[in-house]
Amino acid sequence: MDTQNPSAPPRAQSASGGNQSHARATRHPRSRTDTRRRPNASAPTSGITHDNTRHTTRFTVIGNHLTQHRELSLLAIGLGCHIQSLPAGSRVDIKSLTTRFPEGAARIAAALRELETHGYLRRERERTPAGRIITRTTSCNHPQVAAQRAPTAPRRQPATVSAPPTPSEPPHAPRKHPRTLPAVPHPSSPTPALLQQAADTLTDLRRQAPHLLLTALDTAHLTPGVAAWLEREATPASVHHALTHSLPPDGPRHPAALLSHRLTALIPPSPPFHAPQPTRHPLQNCETCDRAYRAPEPGRCRDCTENGAGSKP
């Protein structure tokens, strides 16, 4: 009689165990050469993730103080990054940027003003030897550091108390302009009516060009220049055109200085001299001889006056 080996598993049990092992091997393959990256436990579960590659050529280092600025608009941030990536000498005026990007001139001008307000852009106007006014643009990639490097202004001396004016000084002396403006031409005969018309012409400039809003001191300085134009037979409309044409899109930085230059450089020539025409009096009939002669008032002709003839009977 055969005896059963208790240590050997039954055939059915052995087959079932083999199938389970095969199934586990199929569901969870493992290999020493598996290179798949395991998820990092510290990685964020939501939001943006970065797949960065280190740049070795054609890159620009831009600070997060610009790209994550809290007060700049998205257009200003993008425009600031574009300007910092340009090589020196590139044109960044409004016309060139409008040609490069689909945004209009008004939006680009507003973005440039934002960058200038927060120190990422400096625009300074200069006059060339030929008399033209050009704009120098400087891009600053770190305004805070640039402000610390800037030389400090010299300390002002404490103001001294000036003595009261002497009685010989007129009490209504005009105040001096706080900044030096270019000289303007003056009329040869500054009549009150001419000066008033010139002042009205300057005041009316802001209706056509809102950027040309002048102060009272600016108007007083420019009035003789406009009066010199009007004295040379220029009409107020021609003065308007000469002072307002081809202005910068965002307006001049110093309107009074620009108008002073134009009044001097573009002044029209003096009108040609015309000899006065002799006055032609109306015809009169002599009260003595009844002869016709020219005179402003009725009376006697020259012959009757010289001969002393009496009145006609």
Side-chain angles (χ1 to χ4, degrees), residues 43-311:
T45 58
S46 62
I48 187 67
T49 58
H50 298 279
D51 184 7
N52 295 334
T53 303
R54 184 179 181 84
H55 292 284
T56 57
T57 59
R58 296 181 57 82
F59 65 94
T60 302
V61 178
I62 299 177
N64 286 343
H65 51 81
L66 172 59
T67 58
Q68 300 178 12
H69 204 285
R70 290 287 185 177
E71 300 180 10
L72 289 175
S73 64
L74 185 61
L75 177 59
I77 293 175
L79 189 57
C81 296
H82 171 73
I83 292 176
Q84 291 189 18
S85 69
L86 295 176
S90 301
R91 299 183 63 87
V92 290
D93 56 286
I94 297 177
K95 183 177 180 181
S96 301
L97 294 174
T98 305
T99 305
R100 170 66 176 79
F101 296 103
E103 285 76 10
R107 296 185 62 192
I108 290 180
L112 290 175
R113 287 194 296 269
E114 288 185 58
L115 294 174
E116 188 176 9
T117 300
H118 290 86
Y120 291 97
L121 211 64
R122 294 197 302 268
R123 292 186 291 183
E124 301 174 354
R125 286 184 171 84
E126 299 179 2
R127 179 177 288 115
T128 63
R132 292 185 55 197
I133 297 179
I134 61 176
T135 301
R136 300 284 186 186
T137 304
T138 303
S139 174
C140 182
N141 68 340
H142 208 310
Q144 293 80 5
V145 177
Q148 295 175 1
R149 290 198 311 262
T152 58
R155 290 185 62 184
R156 295 183 178 180
Q157 297 296 331
T160 57
V161 179
S162 58
T166 59
S168 59
E169 296 181 1
H172 54 278
R175 294 182 298 170
K176 294 184 178 180
H177 203 280
R179 63 176 181 273
T180 303
L181 293 175
V184 296
H186 284 67
S188 58
S189 300
T191 61
L194 181 65
L195 295 177
Q196 184 61 44
Q197 186 181 11
D200 294 342
T201 303
L202 285 171
T203 305
D204 196 55
L205 288 178
R206 59 187 178 186
R207 299 178 183 270
Q208 186 174 353
H211 298 295
L212 299 181
L213 181 60
L214 303 173
T215 64
L217 291 178
D218 293 338
T219 304
H221 176 80
L222 299 172
T223 295
V226 178
W229 281 54
L230 298 176
E231 189 181 49
R232 299 189 178 198
E233 299 182 358
T235 62
S238 62
V239 177
H240 269 256
H241 177 73
L243 298 182
T244 59
H245 81 285
S246 300
L247 290 176
D250 52 347
R253 186 182 295 262
H254 301 296
L258 175 63
L259 297 184
S260 299
H261 170 71
R262 290 190 174 186
L263 287 173
T264 304
L266 305 178
I267 186 171
S270 300
F273 175 76
H274 297 285
Q277 298 295 329
T279 305
R280 190 174 181 84
H281 298 297
L283 289 173
Q284 307 289 348
N285 290 332
C286 179
E287 296 176 352
T288 303
C289 64
D290 204 21
R291 185 173 60 179
Y293 70 100
R294 292 188 178 275
E297 300 291 339
R300 294 186 298 174
C301 64
R302 184 175 56 181
D303 294 342
C304 294
T305 303
E306 293 176 354
N307 296 332
S311 58

Side-chain angles (χ1 to χ4, degrees), residues 28-44:
H28 304 287
R30 299 201 177 233
S31 174
R32 294 181 179 273
T33 60
D34 187 6
T35 59
R36 288 181 299 174
R37 185 177 302 174
R38 295 182 179 181
N40 188 3
S42 61

